[in-house]
Structure formats: structure tokens, C-alpha cells
Amino acid sequence: MWSTYCTCSSADADDELEPESSRLALLLAPVNKPSALDVAVVLAQQAFNTDEKVVKVLKQLISEHSHLAALPAGKPSDADNLRVLQQLAEAAGIGSAAQWKPTYDEVQAAVSVVAITSDLVVHELGLPLGAGAVITNGRVVWDHKSPTDTTSPGLVAEDFQLLQLYAMSFQRADVLAQFIKAARLKANSKKAKADSNNTSGSEVLDSVKACSDVVMVTASALAAQLYPDSRFGSLQGKQVSEVLGSLRGKPIPVGPSDDSELHITAILDPLAREAQRLSQVMLLLQDVLSPSMQLYLNPQLDLSDMPLKSFYRYALPEFERDESGRLTMPGAPSAYFSRLPLKRVLTLNLELPESWLVEPVMALHDLDNLRLADIPEQVAYAEYELEAIMLTGSCNEVDSSWGKKSKLPPPRGLQLHLGTNSNPHQVDTLVMQNLGYFQLKASPGPWQLSIAPGRSRELYQLVASSGGSSADMHWGSWRSSSRASSSGSSGNPVAGNATGTDYSAQVLLHSFTGKHLVLKVQKRPGKEGESLLPADDKSQGGQGSSSKVKASDIINVFTVASGHMYERLQKIMILSVIKNTKSRVKFWIIKNYMSPHHKRIIPAMAQHYGFDYEFVTYKWPHWLHKQTDKQRIIWAYKILFLDVLFPLDVPRMIFVDSDQVIRTDLAELYRMDLKGAPTAYTPFCDNNKEMDPYRFWKTGFWANHLMDKPYHISALYLIDLVRFR
């Protein structure tokens, strides 16, 4: 039944640094309610904690009176049980035992102490109730013997000797022992002075306790510094030692060489991308904390190619010190590149936190084709702004039948709105089929997340989660909690909230790190058999559903451009479409990579030439494989997110590359009968044999992949969004 023993390690018995006494504490965490034995142990520690004979009393109490463990605490029989404790204390020679008479309030307080220590063992130490463990110098050693196992000896004396050897070898117990010796000598001198002055020795006793507290905290801090993750234990330290031992070169000292309270040792491959990032963080730590640093270079010897092809800077706040050496308020985060090649064409790209949506707001030069030799100024300046923090999530559909736990596919195509109570539709999105993923642009503060009016709201309602949600979502007068116990039902429809609806919930975005929600929905009663999106080929028995395009429909054109050159070509493309298309045209332009100048030009062009436009944006999902090349990311936006980039009421979309010139009416392509196909691409022609050396799909990977099928170009294609979804 004994859960946790807590003691401090000391040096060997023959060592001159062996302390005269040690502190010991018993942390009780019984499986059942506190027993009479638990209360007796707590009261013994509280009443006789200044007498070392209490250890003998506790040993006898646990070994010879274990029958008290079967008696509940807080009963009239407690007085008889505590007389047993008093007799053991008197027999051990504890002088204060004869006058000790615990009150009823003290007994109840002891019961509360057991409850507090049980909570400490479970939540702080991560041990189950009833487990046995030893804590020495911040290291937890768990005895995995079952509490009901009476045959196994559990931890024995040799185990404690091994812990003591470990503490001396790895936890710097020798240094702590030196500290204890110095503190003991100081305490003895104070005690002698107190005796000579006939004063109370309470101050000396307090200093000894304070010394012991400092030792415990220091030992725990040292253990945490050596092994910050208990999953690795001493193996991690061994691996670091082996790497340091294998490096032939000497460490490079960084920062002040004097004795700093903080020391950092870094082992880096100088040609790795991780080294680019860590070097910037180390510079920040040097400016702010002034630690002593040692840098070991551990390069990879066999390289077939230069692994680094980019320059890297970390945009961090600038810290300065005043005349007294104190840090002043930090400035705006900035990054400065010096000594860049002048004649090379460079591209400026940002690597951002997953939840940040950042766009350029000031840039005179082309950030995608930056050639410093062509810039008259000494510095090419660009300024970025945090436009939004992404509110992401996974939408799960639960079975509307009570008690069922069947897993349903995500409600793909479900339209969500995000706004406030007064304006509930500020931004919108669709639920993706992959993981039920969705994302919405937001900023810190309270928001209202709702199912969009129309087909989505007619079929679905929100479900109050019974636990497991990572979001701070408020459902009326109560809030879903990750600590709530999971019940057998799949959830209750939201009711009784501030808006009196079952399709909206309040979401609090309180951090710049964003938020990921777990949103649960279910079909409304009577709608279980209906589908949000039109059925596919198999269910229809034909060519599937496709969008019905009217002659009066607006022609929707989707395009993307990055860099001043392609933005100039995009303006030409837009004018060629307007000139040759009789219907009204609406351009959908990816905003992520537009220059500040182009963002100002498009509204002026729309007003002058009479077309509609809308800027759309989508953050690269965290679960999708990251691309490091900026152009590859831009190309990916042409295809990957078509089902979630545009609202549900947009039936079709034509993608036109920015460098194309349209010479006919796009309405003919827009209203083409696709015969149930989701997309229509243009196959490459091959009648001009002089171009064969440039047709890369004729050889190598693409030839094997296509297997004599035609290669289609993505510079111009039509997509039926209804069928595609």
C-alpha cells in the first residue's frame, strides 16, 4: 500500500563528507480511502519530525501494526490506534511522546494531507495510486511490483546502495556533499555561539532546514539539466559524451570566458539547415543571457553536393543595453543580410510558425527576382505584416443514433463561417476530406464559429463534445473540457447557448500560436440518408453530377503570380480576357505571394476596365509535406487546394497562367460539356519534331509514368468544382 518514499542520497559511510543526519519523507497515495495506518504515519512525521528516532517508530508501525491498514480513518477507534503510536514513540525514547495528545482536528488534517500527497504522486510524479517508488536527488525509481504481490521483495538495501553510487557518479553528489560539509561547519559555529550566549537554537535549526532545502532543489535542478527528458535517461548523456569524445577538434569558445552561471554546449553540422537556425538563436541567447558557450563542429564528411543553397537569418527582436547594463525594451523583429552576391538572382522567402499568415506590405523591388547589382540603393528594404492567425481544426461527424460509436467519414464540403455575434460571416471555409481539416483566418479574441446557412445548416448541427477536444469552445453556459469523462453516447446537440441555436459556438483565440479545434457535427433528425454533396458515379449509375452553367453566369478565372515580371504578364492576360470575353469576368487571385504594388493595381484595374476580382488565400496545411522551393509552392497552389479555395456557390473555374494571352471568348470553354469529368486539360501536341529535345515527358521518369498516355499542360484548364468535390 505504500506508494512513494522520498529520501536524499549521501556519500559513503566512510567518507568524511557523510552527513550526520538526513531528511526523509513518506508520501502516501493509497488506492482506497485513507486508513488508520496512513493517519498514524502522517501524525508521526508531524509530531516527532525533529527527533531522528522517528524513523525507528515508523519502521515498527508499518511492519508490526499493518492491521491498521484495514481500518478506516476518522472513526472513534482512532484514539486507540493513536495510543499505539504514542507507546511506540515512548519506547523509542522520544521525550515529547508522553505529552502528545492529538485532537480530532489534527486527525482530519492528516486525512487531508493524504489526499494532497495522493494528488501530488499522480499528477506531478506520474505514478498510479498504490505504486511504490523512491525519489533521490530528483530521480524517480519506480518499483513495478504490484501492491498485492507479497512474494516479491521489491526494493532491497542493495538497490539504495546502487542509487547512492549513481548519485555520486552522475548527479554531482560529491559537490553537494562539499556544500553540506561547509553548511554544517557554519551551523556548528552558530550553535556554539548560541550556547555561549544562552540563546535559543531555533535559528540554527532553521538554517539547517534551509540548507537541506537548497540541497534538494539543487540536486533536482542538476538532474533535470543532465537528463531533461526522462524517456532517455542516462543513455542520452552517454550519447552526448560519445559524440564529444569522437570530435578531434577543440571547441570554439563563444561569448564571455569568465565563470557564467549559464553554460551552453552546442554540437552542430555547419552545413546543415538546422545549424543556420540554431546559430541565430545562440546569438540571441548571447545578447540577452550572456552565457558561456562552447561550439563543437561535427560536419558530415562524405558530401556529393553542397547541402546549403540559401542564406538564412532569424528575425528576432533587437535587444540593447543602457548605460547601467540593463536590457531595454526590444525593438521590432528584423533580419539583415550582408555580403550577399551582387550578380546572382535571389528569392526572398519566409519560414513562419504554422499558425501565422504573413504578407509583404512594403517592397520597392522584386522579392522573387532580386539582383542586387541592379538596385541603386545601398539596401533593399522589405516589410512584412502579420495579417492573420490561423484557426484550424478537424471536423468529425458522429452517428446521430444514441450510444453508437461507429466512425463516419468527415463531412467534406461542409461550409463554416467565422465572425462575431453582430457579423457572423466575416470569413468562410470548407471542410476538407483529408482528416476533416479546415482553416479560417482570425486574430486574438472571441469568435463565433457557425455552420453556414443553406444546405450545410439544413443537414448538420453541432454536437457538444464529451471530452478530448483541444479547443476552448463555449457551448452555452458550459464549456467542453479535455478532462471530462467520456460517456457512451456520441454527444448531445448544442442547446441553450447565448444565441439559442444548435449551429454556432463561441471560440476564444487567446494566443499567437493559433488554435486547433476538434469540431463534432451530426445529421439532423430525418436527414440521416441525405448527402451534403451530389452523389458519385456509382450511386447515380451514370456519368455523375456536374454543374449546370447558365448563359448569364459570370466567368470565373483563377490565376496566380509571384514576382514583378509575372505580375506584369498577369495584367496583360487579364486585359486579353476582358477584350475577348463578352460575359462578365471575375478573377480569383492567390494573395499569398502578391507584391504590395500589385495589390494596389488590381482594384484600380477592376474599376477602370469593369471586371470583378477577389483575393483568396490558403495556408499550407501542417500535415502536408513541406516544400522548400518557393516556386514549387506557388505551382502547388494551382492544383492542391481547388476544393477549399472557393465558396460552394462557385460552380466552375478556369485556371489561366499569368503568361498566357487569351485570343477568344472564354465563355465557350467555361460552358463546355465535360460529360461527367471533373477537369478538362489540354494535351501537348507533338507534330513539331524540332521540339522533341525539349519534351521532357518523352523520356525518363515521365515516359515510364505516363505509359504512352498524352502529357497534359496545366497552363490552361477547366474544373467543374461541383463534380471535383
Side-chain angles (χ1 to χ4, degrees), residues 8-11 136-139 160-176 219 222 226:
C8 61
S9 295
S10 60
T136 169
N137 290 350
R139 182 176 177 84
F160 289 90
Q161 295 177 1
L162 184 61
L163 284 175
Q164 184 173 341
L165 178 62
Y166 175 86
M168 294 296 295
S169 301
F170 296 100
Q171 294 185 307
R172 306 301 303 273
D174 52 347
V175 178
L176 295 177
L222 286 174
L226 289 173

Side-chain angles (χ1 to χ4, degrees), residues 543-564:
Q543 293 180 334
S545 174
S546 61
S547 59
K548 304 264 191 311
V549 182
K550 301 177 182 178
S552 59
D553 282 352
I554 294 178
I555 308 301
N556 294 288
V557 177
F558 170 47
T559 185
V560 58
S562 179
H564 288 187

